[in-house]
Amino acid sequence: MPTPTTAPANGNSWRQKLSRLDVLISPYLYISPFFILFAVLGLFPLIYTFWVSMHEWNLIGGQGDFIGFDNYTHVLKQEFFWRGMRNTFSIFLLSSVTQTLAALALAAVLNQNIRAKTFWRMGVLLPFVIAPVAVGVIFSKMFADQSGLINGVLGWFGVDPVAWHAGVLQSHVAIATMVNFRWTGYVTLIFLAAMQAIPSELYEAALLDGANRMRQFRSITIPMLRPTIIFVVITATVGGLQIFDEARVFDQSGLGGSNRQWMTMTMYIYELGWGPQGSFGRAAAVSWLLFLLIIVIGLVNFWLTRRINSTDAAPRAKARRQVKGATS
C-alpha cells in the first residue's frame, strides 16, 4: 500500500495562509482608495500650503527666502484681516441661525400628511442645484440700491430704499439671504429624513396623553432631532466660514465693497494671492489661520455634542420605557 505524500497537506497549509492573509489585508485594500485620494487631494495640499506660508512666495517670482512665521505676524496686523473675520462670522451667524430654524419649520410641514408631498419635497431642493454664481448675480440685482426688486417691494409699504451695498449690516443680510435661498432646502431634507426615523409610537403615546401638535414638536421632535441638529450646525459652521461665491459676485468689483464691508476671509485670501500683492505666502498664512479657526470651532462643537448627548441619554431612556409601558 503506497504511503500518502505530504503535498496536499502543504497545499492546504499554503491556502490557509493565503486565506488568513486575505482576511487581514482585504479590508484595508477596500478602504485604501479613500485614504489615497485624501492624501493626494487633502493632506498633501494642506502640508504644502503650510510650507508656502513659511516662505516669501510671489505670484511672478515663485519661491523666495524662508522667513518662518513672518507672514502670519504680518497678516495678523492688517486691518482687512480682522474685518474679513468680522464679516465672515456675521454672515455665518445670520445665515446659519435663520437657515436652521426655517429648515426645521419646512421639514415639520413636509412631514405631515399633505397632498403632493413628493412635489413639494422636490421643490424645496431646486434652489440647491442652481449654480452659486447664478444665485449671486440674480440676488445682487434684486438687492440693487436704487432699482432693485427688494427696494421696490419695500416701497409699496412706504419704506425708503435700503442701501444694500453701502452698509455693513445691510450687505450681510443680503448675502445671508442668498445663502439661505440655496441651502435651506438641502437642510430641510436632512431634517425630514431624521423626522421620519422617529418611532411613531412616541407620537401615539403623546396623543393619548392629550398633547397637541405643537407640544409634540417641542417635547418629542426637537429632542429626537438633537444629533441631527448638531450635525447640521457643524457642517454649516465649516461651510459658513468658507463662504466665497455669494459675497464675491455681490457687486461687479468683487472686492467686498468700497470699504470691505462684506469681504470674507476667503475673499481676503483670494485678494492676497491673486490681487496686486500677489503674495502666495501671505495667502497661505491666512488659509492656515482659517483652518485652525475651523478646527477650534469643530472641537468646541464636538465637546458640546458629547455633553448634550450625555445629558439627554437618561431622559430618552425614560421616554422609551414610558412608551413601552403604554403600548404593552
Side-chain angles (χ1 to χ4, degrees), residues 83-97:
R83 194 171 300 179
M85 182 174 292
R86 178 205 65 183
N87 297 338
T88 301
F89 272 95
S90 176
I91 296 172
F92 156 67
L93 292 175
L94 288 173
S95 59
S96 62
V97 174

Side-chain angles (χ1 to χ4, degrees), residues 179-298:
V179 178
N180 292 335
F181 171 79
R182 187 165 181 266
W183 287 97
T184 300
Y186 176 79
V187 179
T188 298
L189 292 187
I190 295 177
F191 283 140
L192 180 61
M195 287 180 183
Q196 293 181 342
I198 299 176
S200 59
E201 292 83 2
L202 296 176
Y203 295 102
E204 294 173 359
L207 189 62
L208 292 175
D209 292 338
N212 54 26
R213 291 185 181 272
M214 184 58 65
R215 181 60 185 273
Q216 294 176 21
F217 183 78
R218 292 199 319 265
S219 302
I220 298 177
T221 306
I222 295 298
M224 298 298 292
L225 286 181
R226 280 180 180 173
T228 306
I229 294 174
I230 293 170
F231 166 77
V232 168
V233 170
I234 293 176
T235 54
T237 301
V238 175
L241 293 179
Q242 301 179 69
I243 182 173
F244 178 79
D245 296 329
E246 292 84 356
R248 179 70 172 77
V249 299
F250 189 53
D251 67 348
Q252 295 181 354
S253 65
L255 296 176
S258 58
N259 199 26
R260 302 298 196 274
Q261 55 265 30
W262 69 83
M263 181 191 68
T264 62
M265 292 287 289
T266 51
M267 292 178 64
Y268 185 53
I269 294 171
Y270 181 85
E271 182 178 347
L272 286 175
W274 300 97
Q277 299 187 41
S279 176
F280 282 175
R282 294 173 183 174
V286 178
S287 300
W288 254 87
L289 290 173
L290 180 60
F291 169 72
L292 294 177
L293 179 64
I294 294 174
I295 291 296
V296 171
I297 296 178

Side-chain angles (χ1 to χ4, degrees), residues 13-62:
S13 176
W14 176 248
R15 292 189 186 94
Q16 291 175 358
K17 291 180 179 179
L18 285 179
S19 178
R20 288 194 296 266
L21 189 64
D22 177 67
V23 171
L24 292 175
I25 296 179
S26 293
Y28 298 99
L29 293 178
Y30 294 148
I31 64 176
S32 61
F34 165 78
F35 290 99
I36 293 173
L37 290 175
F38 173 75
V40 175
L41 302 177
L43 187 60
F44 171 74
L46 186 66
I47 298 174
Y48 188 71
T49 302
F50 181 74
W51 172 257
V52 172
S53 69
M54 307 293 286
H55 292 77
E56 284 186 353
W57 205 296
N58 191 267
L59 175 62
I60 305 298

Side-chain angles (χ1 to χ4, degrees), residues 4-151:
T5 61
T6 59
N10 293 334
N12 292 334
S13 176
W14 176 248
R15 292 189 186 94
Q16 291 175 358
K17 291 180 179 179
L18 285 179
S19 178
R20 288 194 296 266
L21 189 64
D22 177 67
V23 171
L24 292 175
I25 296 179
S26 293
Y28 298 99
L29 293 178
Y30 294 148
I31 64 176
S32 61
F34 165 78
F35 290 99
I36 293 173
L37 290 175
F38 173 75
V40 175
L41 302 177
L43 187 60
F44 171 74
L46 186 66
I47 298 174
Y48 188 71
T49 302
F50 181 74
W51 172 257
V52 172
S53 69
M54 307 293 286
H55 292 77
E56 284 186 353
W57 205 296
N58 191 267
L59 175 62
I60 305 298
Q63 181 178 353
D65 298 332
F66 180 84
I67 57 175
F69 291 95
D70 288 351
N71 285 325
Y72 292 88
T73 57
H74 179 271
V75 296
L76 287 174
K77 296 177 182 178
Q78 302 303 309
E79 181 183 359
F80 284 168
F81 173 82
W82 297 105
R83 194 171 300 179
M85 182 174 292
R86 178 205 65 183
N87 297 338
T88 301
F89 272 95
S90 176
I91 296 172
F92 156 67
L93 292 175
L94 288 173
S95 59
S96 62
V97 174
T98 54
Q99 180 185 125
T100 303
L101 296 178
L104 273 173
L106 286 173
V109 173
L110 294 176
N111 196 36
Q112 303 301 319
N113 189 17
I114 60 176
R115 294 183 179 181
K117 289 188 294 185
T118 304
F119 171 78
W120 295 113
R121 292 172 183 176
M122 292 177 58
V124 297
L125 193 60
L126 284 179
F128 178 71
V129 302
I130 302 176
V133 175
V135 174
V137 171
I138 294 172
F139 272 79
S140 65
K141 301 300 182 183
M142 293 175 60
F143 283 97
D145 295 342
Q146 299 298 329
S147 59
L149 176 62
I150 305 300
N151 279 336

